[in-house]
């Protein structure tokens, strides 16, 4: 089986790498940026600080701070309108997954035309997007380096998965100094999202030796650093290790894709407007319990990467140990115990399951499932 490996051409990372990134941006020769961010980062002055740094490089900019958590079609359309009246020749996304995804939607429609709905699915666009520089401020989604763009269609209550090589950013920037301001809850949720990326990619039917290496290293780093980053947000070493971990997990899932955790979490996010990382964290042990029937050996490697001594264990015992270690990490970083606590409703399960089965992320789950089985996993996670 062949595989294609997608990753931005240039990726700058490490403590205080932002200055180096600014020089790299100037060297592309761009003149005016649409800075796509969220209201929180705009209010905290981070977007203005980036605009000032761009100005130091003789690059003009305009700020669009309308990327909501779980960005919507309306957010993309508002950004597109500002882009066209401002005559920007590139986009800078600043934030976590939401601003990056919103920016990808804007950049893709800017060159391809049409409506963002036209690009739902895999590789539906024909032209490269407007150049996108993605500056990351969280450690989890890896959206700053992936070809995945998730936009909520509020009229259908679903998250559209746009998996398109053309939404891959031109340049990704991961400066841990921009991540120290993340509150505990966001650190935990985004870190568990990265763990989910690594584990789903590792057991994916599209895994290959490159994605395996990325996934296992990511799991080891998350296991050793997420608790530290949650406990003390100013721990720069833990922040940097989490930045590398989420990037490695991104390299893994960008190429091996994901599984039912994401396919199901997208529905919870779209239906109840819940944080992506928390939905993943709650579903992860339940989906891997379902997968253990076919992925026991791989899950035993996950247990080892999570720090469990698996010597003398059968593959099945190793898989159970992985699920225990996942639950333990989630508990230590104070992830809610179940979907009920998040406000999900049992009566919604049939429609959530039906939509999950349509999500492109589920295609590479190692074990196939039908409607009844997905409903069962949702129920087990309540
Ligand atoms: Fe994710």
């Amino acid at each position: 089986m062949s595989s294609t490996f997608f990753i931005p051409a240039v990726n700058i990372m490490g403590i205080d790498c932002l200055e180096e990134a600014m020089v790299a941006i100037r060297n592309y020769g761009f003149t005016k940026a649409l800075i796509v961010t969220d209201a929180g980062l705009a209010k905290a002055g981070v977007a203005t600080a980036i605009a000032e740094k761009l100005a130091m490089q003789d690059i003009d900019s305009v700020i669009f701070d309308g990327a909501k958590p779980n960005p919507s079609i309306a957010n993309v359309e508002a950004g597109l309108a500002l882009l066209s009246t401002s005559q920007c020749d590139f986009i800078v996304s600043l934030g976590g997954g939401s601003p990056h995804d919103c920016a990808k939607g804007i950049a893709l429609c800017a060159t391809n035309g049409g409506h963002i709905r036209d690009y739902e699915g895999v590789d539906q666009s024909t032209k490269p997007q407007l150049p996108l520089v993605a500056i990351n401020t969280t450690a989890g989604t890896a959206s700053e380096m992936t070809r995945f763009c998730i936009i909520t269609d509020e009229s259908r209550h679903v998250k559209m998965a746009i998996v398109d090589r053309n939404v891959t950013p031109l340049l990704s920037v991961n400066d841990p100094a921009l991540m120290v301001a993340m509150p505990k809850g966001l650190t935990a949720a985004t870190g568990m999202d990265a763990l989910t990326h690594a584990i789903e990619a590792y057991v994916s039917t599209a895994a290959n030796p490159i994605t395996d290496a990325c996934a296992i290293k990511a799991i080891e780093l998350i296991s050793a650093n997420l608790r530290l980053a949650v406990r003390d947000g100013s721990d720069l070493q833990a922040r940097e290790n989490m930045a590398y971990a989420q990037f490695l997990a991104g390299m893994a899932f960008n190429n091996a894709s994901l599984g039912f955790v994401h396919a199901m979490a997208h529905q919870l996010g779209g239906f109840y407007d819940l944080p992506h990382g928390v939905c993943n964290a709650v579903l992860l042990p339940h989906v891997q319990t379902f997968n253990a029937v076919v992925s026991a050996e791989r899950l035993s490697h996950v247990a080892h990467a999570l720090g469990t001594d698996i010597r003398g264990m059968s593959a099945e015992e190793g898989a159970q140990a992985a699920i225990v270690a996942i639950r333990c990490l989630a508990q230590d970083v104070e992830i809610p115990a179940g979907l009920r606590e998040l406000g999900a409703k049992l009566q919604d399960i049939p429609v959530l399951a039906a939509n999950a089965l349509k999500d492109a992320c589920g295609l590479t789950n190692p074990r196939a499932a039908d409607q009844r089985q997905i409903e069962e996993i949702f129920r087990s996670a309540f």
Side-chain angles (χ1 to χ4, degrees):
M1 194 174 77
S2 67
S3 61
T4 307
F5 201 79
F6 298 101
I7 176 173
V10 182
N11 305 277
I12 300 178
M13 53 188 96
I15 297 166
D16 294 329
C17 72
L18 187 59
E19 297 306 324
E20 190 184 331
M22 287 294 155
V23 175
I25 294 169
R26 183 190 62 202
N27 290 341
Y28 285 114
F30 302 128
T31 58
K32 188 171 181 184
L34 178 74
I35 300 175
V36 176
T37 191
D38 57 42
L41 285 165
K43 203 169 160 215
V46 186
T48 309
I50 295 294
E52 284 166 2
K53 284 184 187 298
L54 288 170
M56 297 283 284
Q57 306 293 338
D58 285 329
I59 299 169
D60 202 0
S61 62
V62 55
I63 296 170
F64 171 68
D65 65 1
K68 287 191 316 176
N70 297 322
S72 66
I73 290 174
N75 297 161
V76 171
E77 287 175 343
L80 261 174
L82 185 58
L83 179 83
S84 66
T85 55
S86 310
Q87 296 180 317
C88 301
D89 58 354
F90 79 118
I91 297 179
V92 173
S93 56
L94 172 70
S98 304
H100 300 316
D101 283 2
C102 185
K104 288 171 175 177
I106 296 166
L108 195 67
C109 290
T111 54
N112 282 273
H115 193 276
I116 188 65
R117 269 196 206 100
D118 302 339
Y119 306 106
E120 185 175 7
V122 181
D123 286 336
Q124 297 297 309
S125 74
T126 53
K127 296 180 191 148
Q129 68 179 357
L130 201 65
L132 172 62
V133 172
I135 302 175
N136 205 19
T137 63
T138 69
T141 70
S143 181
E144 83 286 357
M145 54 79 67
T146 67
R147 63 192 168 108
F148 285 67
C149 166
I150 309 295
I151 302 293
T152 299
D153 184 340
E154 288 172 318
S155 63
R156 288 187 289 155
H157 295 293
V158 295
K159 282 191 166 191
M160 297 186 291
I162 297 162
V163 186
D164 195 313
R165 63 185 69 200
N166 284 329
V167 303
T168 306
L170 179 68
L171 166 68
S172 81
V173 183
N174 275 284
D175 183 346
L178 291 172
M179 300 171 185
V180 292
M182 254 195 293
K184 277 183 197 300
L186 186 61
T187 303
T190 51
M192 290 303 291
D193 185 25
L195 179 69
T196 308
H197 295 156
I199 293 175
E200 292 216 281
Y202 193 69
V203 301
S204 156
T205 55
N208 64 49
I210 302 174
T211 60
D212 285 352
C214 295
I216 289 294
K217 186 66 187 173
I219 297 166
E220 289 172 359
L221 283 169
I222 293 164
S223 174
N225 291 280
L226 181 57
R227 290 177 182 88
L228 297 175
V230 170
R231 194 180 308 148
D232 176 10
S234 66
D235 183 339
L236 262 180
Q237 195 56 58
R239 290 290 194 193
E240 186 171 65
N241 284 332
M242 281 305 300
Y244 275 104
Q246 68 92 30
F247 192 92
L248 282 160
M251 287 171 77
F253 91 84
N254 200 32
N255 299 289
S257 195
L258 294 161
F260 285 147
V261 182
H262 271 77
M264 295 167 68
H266 287 158
Q267 312 320 318
L268 294 169
F271 219 78
Y272 307 112
D273 202 18
L274 291 169
H276 174 68
V278 174
C279 296
N280 278 329
V282 170
L283 291 169
L284 181 60
H286 299 280
V287 173
Q288 299 322 314
T289 299
F290 175 78
N291 287 343
V293 178
V294 297
S295 302
E297 196 169 345
R298 292 230 141 206
L299 285 169
S300 72
H301 303 162
V302 169
H304 179 65
L306 284 168
T308 307
D309 184 356
I310 57 164
R311 281 174 298 181
M313 286 188 190
S314 66
E316 288 70 25
E317 288 165 342
Q320 291 315 309
I323 291 157
V324 169
I326 293 166
R327 286 186 197 279
C328 181
L329 178 55
Q331 205 168 18
D332 287 351
V333 297
E334 296 178 17
I335 294 290
L339 298 179
R340 186 171 287 113
E341 241 178 276
L342 299 180
K345 305 224 167 23
L346 278 167
Q347 66 263 32
D348 295 333
I349 285 180
V351 61
L352 293 170
N355 288 336
L357 282 167
K358 291 181 207 148
D359 189 296
C361 292
L363 296 173
T364 44
N365 195 75
R367 184 178 172 196
D370 58 21
Q371 171 79 17
R372 186 190 57 78
Q373 288 167 311
I374 297 289
E375 287 184 15
E376 206 43 57
I377 300 171
F378 268 126
R379 255 178 233 112
S380 70
F382 261 72

